[in-house]
Amino acid sequence: MAEVLHLNLTNAILPLVLLVALTVALPAVLAGATLSQGRLAVVVVMTALVVWGVGAGIMAMLYAQINDGVWPGVGASLERSGLMALLWGPVLALVWLMRAQGIERRRGLLMGAKHAAAD
């Protein structure tokens, strides 16, 4: 039992890497090259919910693995997954900021192209 209490590759590092990878990849796939800050906000909220749910699934599997196949409740899994948001939450905020700046940059380039065409 003492071995499962230590953080190692399979019970800590890989799940967190998977959640961070989802946090970075989902906004890129779902938002694409949008010019709408509103759409980006919706995509970020959807990403947070998906990553939270995937984290809950991971936590439920790890809990069942440790406790001889006994699955925790949904609430307990979501609560444990919420603790992992301490890592992926700031990453999602940074991704949101970078994507929002990209939207404003693309808008600026389109405005510059319109003004250049008008001259």
Side-chain angles (χ1 to χ4, degrees), residues 26-46:
L26 280 177
V29 171
L30 296 176
T34 185
L35 292 174
S36 169
Q37 294 286 356
R39 177 175 164 84
L40 179 64
V42 169
V43 165
V44 168
V45 170
M46 286 176 31

Side-chain angles (χ1 to χ4, degrees), residues 17-100:
V17 166
L18 173 67
L19 293 178
V20 169
L22 276 173
T23 301
V24 172
L26 280 177
V29 171
L30 296 176
T34 185
L35 292 174
S36 169
Q37 294 286 356
R39 177 175 164 84
L40 179 64
V42 169
V43 165
V44 168
V45 170
M46 286 176 31
T47 299
L49 292 174
V50 167
V51 174
W52 187 32
V54 169
I58 291 170
M59 294 308 288
M61 288 189 310
L62 290 174
Y63 184 89
Q65 182 182 21
I66 292 171
N67 293 305
D68 299 324
V70 176
W71 290 84
V74 174
S77 297
L78 288 172
E79 183 180 337
R80 289 181 181 102
S81 178
L83 291 174
M84 290 194 292
L86 292 171
L87 175 71
W88 60 261
V91 173
L92 183 59
L94 182 62
V95 167
W96 190 356
L97 175 66
M98 291 170 48
R99 295 227 154 250

Side-chain angles (χ1 to χ4, degrees), residues 95-117:
V95 167
W96 190 356
L97 175 66
M98 291 170 48
R99 295 227 154 250
Q101 288 176 339
I103 287 172
E104 294 305 319
R105 182 184 57 80
R106 287 190 298 276
R107 283 181 176 176
L109 290 173
L110 284 174
M111 286 175 47
K114 288 179 184 176
H115 287 289

